[in-house]
């Protein structure tokens, strides 16, 4: 964009009013963000002041594509609906043609109507608790369980289960953002990724833990089994990730200038298993599907990944990708003591390891 976002009266947005820009209070809904602001963050920060957004286009492009490129957290179909509803203006005139084009220098104003809060129902779903006190709870998430309610997954989520366990979670009073409500959620795991995930039980913990992720204090370590045998024993993938330009349900390697966001994954070989490899991943950032996208880009996709994998059958019944959030380390939000949690490998992961070890034979 060629100029900072402004409000509906052409005044620069006052970032000092956005607590997500204050290191002392950092309740950003996307703790992995490196810099800048996205629409989701602005809406959550100050709904009364930041419901309308304006910018000047810096290139000629179809309107819906231009908007989706600015905010990869919102889909192009979401912007198309806003356009059709008359919520987008180009040069002070409503534009209801989703196929319309904007030219360099055009002024664009987007208004996001407030969402109604979702009805969050407590559900007595068993939880495998790795750590819990008055401020935070760490759960060993099973495969197939969604973290928070969203369109297509209105219940049966970890948040529903936590409400039955904790009765209340911070952020329950906030409106949903694009049909999503995430009380207590500090970070997320994909539906079929297993392992350690932490939730805040108080507002203070929510702000503190999200800040730890943003400023690289908290540490997340994963184990994954990939196809193939990397030549090196360790490495770093530093490639930006954004929404796939064609399949909007996927992520892809996208240049920063086209909407990608900085993403860094450190990897270390734990065990070579013939034509498969057990790898330890350490996240420096936390983009959606980051490990899965980076592994595929290396030519070694995660075994069992239905989206980024090779589709080859391995002869073991897996619920999804063989990726496990193994260790989670963070500072306690009250006394700053280090908390170390470790999630044991799920049964299907252990079975896969045993099968691959037998196939690869003894090592001499």
């Amino acid at each position: 964009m060629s100029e900072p976002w402004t409000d509906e009266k052409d005044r620069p947005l006052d970032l000092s009013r956005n607590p997500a820009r204050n290191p002392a209070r950092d309740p950003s809904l996307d703790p992995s963000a490196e810099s800048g602001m996205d629409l989701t963050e602005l809406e959550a920060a100050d709904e009364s002041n930041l419901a309308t957004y304006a910018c000047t286009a810096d290139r000629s492009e179809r309107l819906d594509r231009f908007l989706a490129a600015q905010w990869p957290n919102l889909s192009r179909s979401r912007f198309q609906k806003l356009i059709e509803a008359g919520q987008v203006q180009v040069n002070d005139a409503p534009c209801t043609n989703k196929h319309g084009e904007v030219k360099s220098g055009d002024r664009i104003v987007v208004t996001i109507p407030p969402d109604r809060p979702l009805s969050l129902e407590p559900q007595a779903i068993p939880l495998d608790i790795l750590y819990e006190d008055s401020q935070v709870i760490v759960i060993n998430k099973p495969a197939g369980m969604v973290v928070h309610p969203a369109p297509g997954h209105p219940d049966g989520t970890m948040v529903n289960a936590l409400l039955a366990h904790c009765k209340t979670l911070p952020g329950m009073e906030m409106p949903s953002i694009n049909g999503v409500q995430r009380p207590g959620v500090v970070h997320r795991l994909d539906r079929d990724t297993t392992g350690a995930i932490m939730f805040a039980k108080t507002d203070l913990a929510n702000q503190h833990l999200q800040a730890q992720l943003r400023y690289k204090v908290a540490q997340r370590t994963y184990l994954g089994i990939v196809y193939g045998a990397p030549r090196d024993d360790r490495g770093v993938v530093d490639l930006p990730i954004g929404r796939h330009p064609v399949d909007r349900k996927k992520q892809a390697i996208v240049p920063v200038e086209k909407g990608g966001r900085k993403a860094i994954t450190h990897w270390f070989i734990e065990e070579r298993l013939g034509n498969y490899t057990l790898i330890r991943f350490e996240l420096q950032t936390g983009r959606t599907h980051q490990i899965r996208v980076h592994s595929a880009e290396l030519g070694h996709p995660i075994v069992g990944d239905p989206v980024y994998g090779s589709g080859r059958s391995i002869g073991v019944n897996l619920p999804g990708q063989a990726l496990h959030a193994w260790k989670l380390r963070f500072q306690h939000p009250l006394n700053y003591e280090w908390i170390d949690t470790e999630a044991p490998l799920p049964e299907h992961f252990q079975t896969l390891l045993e099968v691959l070890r037998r196939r690869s034979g003894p090592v001499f």
Side-chain angles (χ1 to χ4, degrees):
M1 291 176 289
S2 57
E3 67 178 32
W5 281 95
T6 58
D7 64 17
E8 66 277 10
K9 295 183 180 180
D10 229 6
R11 299 170 301 192
L13 292 180
D14 181 4
L15 302 189
S16 66
R17 295 191 60 186
N18 185 349
R21 292 292 155 265
N22 182 348
R25 291 187 68 243
D26 198 341
S28 165
L29 289 180
D30 183 4
S32 64
E34 295 295 317
S35 61
M37 294 180 290
D38 55 40
L39 266 180
T40 301
E41 197 169 302
L42 290 174
E43 284 184 275
D46 190 345
E47 184 178 286
S48 63
N49 187 45
L50 300 175
T52 301
Y53 313 87
C55 78
T56 300
D58 58 2
R59 63 181 181 272
S60 298
E61 191 173 4
R62 212 173 91 167
L63 178 59
D64 58 341
R65 289 176 180 167
F66 175 80
L67 294 174
Q70 308 309 304
W71 305 283
N73 282 354
L74 294 182
S75 67
R76 195 166 82 191
S77 62
R78 168 68 163 154
F79 280 114
Q80 288 175 347
K81 292 177 181 177
L82 289 171
I83 293 169
E84 292 171 348
Q87 300 294 331
V88 177
Q89 291 188 347
V90 178
N91 297 328
D92 299 322
C95 179
T96 57
N97 180 10
K98 64 184 179 183
H99 301 296
E101 292 191 359
V102 294
K103 301 183 296 297
S104 180
D106 282 348
R107 178 175 170 77
I108 304 166
V109 177
V110 182
T111 300
I112 307 295
D115 286 319
R116 291 176 298 177
L118 297 176
S119 177
L120 295 174
E121 298 294 334
Q123 294 178 293
I125 301 172
L127 293 171
D128 182 2
I129 300 174
L130 300 174
Y131 175 85
E132 182 180 16
D133 60 25
S134 63
Q135 298 293 315
V136 62
I137 183 170
V138 181
I139 306 295
N140 184 13
K141 189 184 90 65
M145 194 172 194
V146 176
V147 172
H148 55 71
H153 300 282
D155 54 23
T157 71
M158 298 202 74
V159 166
N160 295 107
L162 280 169
L163 285 174
H165 178 78
C166 303
K167 308 307 179 187
T168 185
L169 292 171
M172 289 181 61
E173 72 286 352
M174 291 179 63
S176 63
I177 303 299
N178 200 23
V180 175
Q181 195 167 14
R182 302 183 284 192
V185 176
V186 177
H187 63 117
R188 291 172 289 178
L189 294 177
D190 298 335
R191 181 180 63 183
D192 292 327
T193 297
T194 58
I197 179 171
M198 60 181 168
F199 292 84
K201 297 172 70 174
T202 67
D203 288 326
L204 182 148
N206 197 36
Q207 296 163 15
H208 197 285
L209 294 173
Q210 287 187 4
Q212 287 189 50
L213 288 177
R214 176 183 291 271
Y215 299 113
K216 315 300 185 293
V217 176
Q219 301 163 21
R220 291 168 287 173
T221 303
Y222 292 70
L223 289 176
I225 300 175
V226 305
Y227 290 101
R231 180 185 60 187
D232 299 324
D233 289 336
R234 61 170 58 192
V236 180
V237 185
D238 185 351
L239 293 171
I241 291 177
R243 197 183 298 276
H244 195 285
V246 177
D247 188 345
R248 306 298 287 177
K249 295 182 179 180
K250 295 176 60 176
Q251 302 294 302
I253 303 301
V254 178
V256 172
E257 59 270 20
K258 293 187 177 181
R261 303 176 71 187
K262 188 176 182 63
I264 301 176
T265 304
H266 300 262
W267 59 270
F268 310 83
I269 289 183
E270 291 287 313
E271 186 175 353
R272 294 185 180 272
L273 303 159
N275 198 36
Y276 300 88
T277 308
L278 175 65
I279 294 183
R280 169 169 50 94
F281 297 96
E282 295 183 359
L283 294 181
Q284 186 169 327
T285 57
R287 308 301 174 209
T288 300
H289 298 177
Q290 178 173 318
I291 293 175
R292 298 164 65 187
V293 173
H294 277 174
S295 293
E297 185 68 16
L298 286 175
H300 301 288
I302 302 291
V303 169
D305 192 328
V307 178
Y308 306 99
S310 67
R312 288 177 289 166
S313 173
I314 199 171
V316 177
N317 186 23
L318 299 173
Q321 60 271 3
L323 183 61
H324 179 68
W326 182 33
K327 294 183 179 181
L328 180 60
R329 189 170 197 254
F330 59 95
Q331 286 185 314
H332 194 276
L334 292 184
N335 57 28
Y336 298 95
E337 292 183 358
W338 284 103
I339 305 295
D340 290 277
T341 62
E342 180 176 325
L345 292 175
E347 184 176 354
H348 67 267
F349 200 113
Q350 295 184 55
T351 299
L352 178 58
L353 273 178
E354 292 168 2
V355 169
L356 295 178
R357 284 165 179 159
R358 289 199 299 268
R359 290 181 184 176
S360 62
V363 177
F364 297 99

